[in-house]
Amino acid sequence: MDIKDFGVTADGKEDNTESINKAIAYLNKIGGGTLLFSQGTYNVRTVHLKSNVYLYIDKNATIKAIKGADAPESTWFSDKKYRSGLSPTDPGPYADPENYMTKQDVGHHYFRNAMFFGERLDNVKIIGNGLITGNGHLVNGDNVMKNAPDNRADKMFTLKLCTNLEIGGIHREEDLWYDAEKDEPYYIGNNGSKIFDHDNMLKIDRGGHFVLLATGTDNINVHNTYFAKDSQSNARDIYDFMGCNNVTATNIYSKVSSDDIIKPGSDCSLGFTRSARNYKVRNIIGDTNCNLFQVGSETADDIKDICVDNIYVLGANKAGFSISTNDGAHISDIHLNCGHTGKLHSRSKMYRTRAPFFISISNRARILGATIGRYVFTENGVTHDELLVKNVNIGKVENIILNGIDVSEVYGGSSYGGKNGRWKAYDGSQKKQLQLLRDINFRIQIQLKGAQF
């Protein structure tokens, strides 16, 4: 059904939120259906998703955020102080061992302050080849709770404890890859030709702190999406999957973002933890101020069985492929370019990447029940004054396979924040990482095959 049949205007002037939510509730009540967003511009605050209701954004349609999204959940935890534990002497996450809301940053433990929100839903799709934009009204900073109440939205899509979610463009069988000369993605044709027509892709820009924050949500398919085609501002994390299982991500192009593009993890934001397993990630292309692919750093539960094929790092000021276990989790069976998602069409590539591969183990223990003590000690002649965890074992990383990767220009050369076009050649001002594999200090089983540097 066309959303306009419900009296929704698309003139880019009116607030369409209430009419859209009534249409979604109606389709849900009669058993489900698809709402077509035909040509026009739709202004929304927070769209309330419902089970068995699909949203289809047509090619000439734009859904645009406006101020006044739903407020974050009310909690007894102070919403004025950012207690993420970034400092080694910050006791915030540990002051109350059972307060799950202090174990992760504010972006992760509030859900309702989003452009699209759903909780305990089944069978939800947001698909099409139109545009969804945060329009500068989705915040991407950590101090969002200090804003005025009508300016605390920091997520585009939030799905909490849901099943069977799809977000993406119109499906294509071809693999997505990248042409460096044109600085554009293309689909690989049957004869190896380059198909630069990507009108099938869903366009998303200005997504705030998260384009998608999925927490405790299983059976997810994100695909055929072009990020930041026309605007590169107000974009931080792209896909954050916290405690999610059975996730597929395919044919994703992110022109530039300030944080991770694909991120499986596990935190305490639900009041309990969930492990994360069975990820199939393929054809991910992007430029980032952080990591293209990152396991963690929120690792309150185990993360296993992740297969990633055909990634193309255009630039990364941290890492191309990063694994961090900080909270006691067991991370295992992580494969890069092993062909588990389908036939490999290319070697993975990493350009202008500060640390092509980053593997780190620490013990921040941002989990329920963790207790700490403050200690002053000397290590290798250096005096430390830090909080150390008393009752949580350190995590483990094992069975990591990195295969078939070309690495070139090892420095932090992302175009993020650049004012003079895309990438500039290395001139000594960009940060470099001496080790290609950084911080492998503990028991890690890793295989590195067929890489070229």
Side-chain angles (χ1 to χ4, degrees), residues 37 40 42 44 47 49 55-65 115-116 125-136 138 155-157 166-169 201-208 211 225-231:
F37 287 75
Y42 304 84
V44 301
V47 174
L49 303 170
L55 309 185
Y56 186 96
I57 300 92
D58 209 1
K59 179 179 178 179
N60 296 312
T62 297
I63 301 180
K64 183 184 294 187
M115 187 176 175
F116 297 83
K125 293 186 181 184
I126 303 165
I127 55 178
N129 56 348
L131 168 67
I132 303 175
T133 175
N135 194 34
L138 300 180
K155 292 168 273 282
M156 183 169 280
F157 306 106
E166 180 179 352
I167 300 176
M201 299 182 83
L202 179 65
K203 312 301 190 298
I204 292 177
D205 65 33
R206 310 185 79 178
V211 170
T225 304
Y226 194 132
F227 292 97
K229 181 176 176 60
D230 298 314
S231 176

Side-chain angles (χ1 to χ4, degrees), residues 360-423:
S360 177
I361 300 176
S362 69
N363 199 15
R364 292 172 67 185
R366 296 165 299 179
I367 62 172
L368 296 173
T371 59
I372 49 91
R374 186 165 182 169
Y375 300 91
V376 177
F377 59 95
T378 300
E379 182 182 35
N380 297 326
V382 178
T383 299
H384 297 263
D385 179 3
E386 298 182 8
L387 300 178
L388 298 180
V389 178
K390 296 179 178 181
N391 61 338
V392 178
N393 290 333
I394 200 165
K396 182 191 297 185
V397 176
E398 62 181 356
N399 297 334
I400 311 299
I401 298 178
L402 310 176
N403 181 61
I405 308 140
D406 296 336
V407 178
S408 180
E409 303 176 75
V410 184
Y411 62 90
S414 169
S415 67
Y416 174 77
K419 298 179 181 179
N420 300 310
R422 289 290 258 167
W423 305 282

Side-chain angles (χ1 to χ4, degrees), residues 81-117:
K81 188 175 181 181
Y82 176 52
R83 296 201 268 180
S84 66
L86 294 178
S87 163
T89 57
D90 182 358
Y94 316 100
D96 180 352
E98 300 304 321
N99 181 1
Y100 68 92
M101 301 203 65
T102 64
K103 310 307 179 188
Q104 54 280 315
D105 66 49
V106 301
H108 284 91
H109 68 238
Y110 291 112
F111 299 96
R112 295 182 178 273
N113 52 331
M115 187 176 175
F116 297 83
F117 171 73

Side-chain angles (χ1 to χ4, degrees), residues 316-321 350 353-360 402 407 409-412 431-441 446 448 453:
N317 286 344
K318 285 191 177 179
F321 195 82
M350 297 187 184
T353 304
R354 182 180 178 187
F357 313 104
F358 181 97
I359 301 178
S360 177
L402 310 176
V407 178
E409 303 176 75
V410 184
Y411 62 90
K431 294 181 179 180
K432 298 188 73 172
Q433 190 66 47
L434 294 179
Q435 308 101 319
L436 289 179
L437 287 162
R438 183 184 175 200
D439 283 4
I440 305 183
N441 300 323
I446 184 170
L448 184 62
F453 306 103

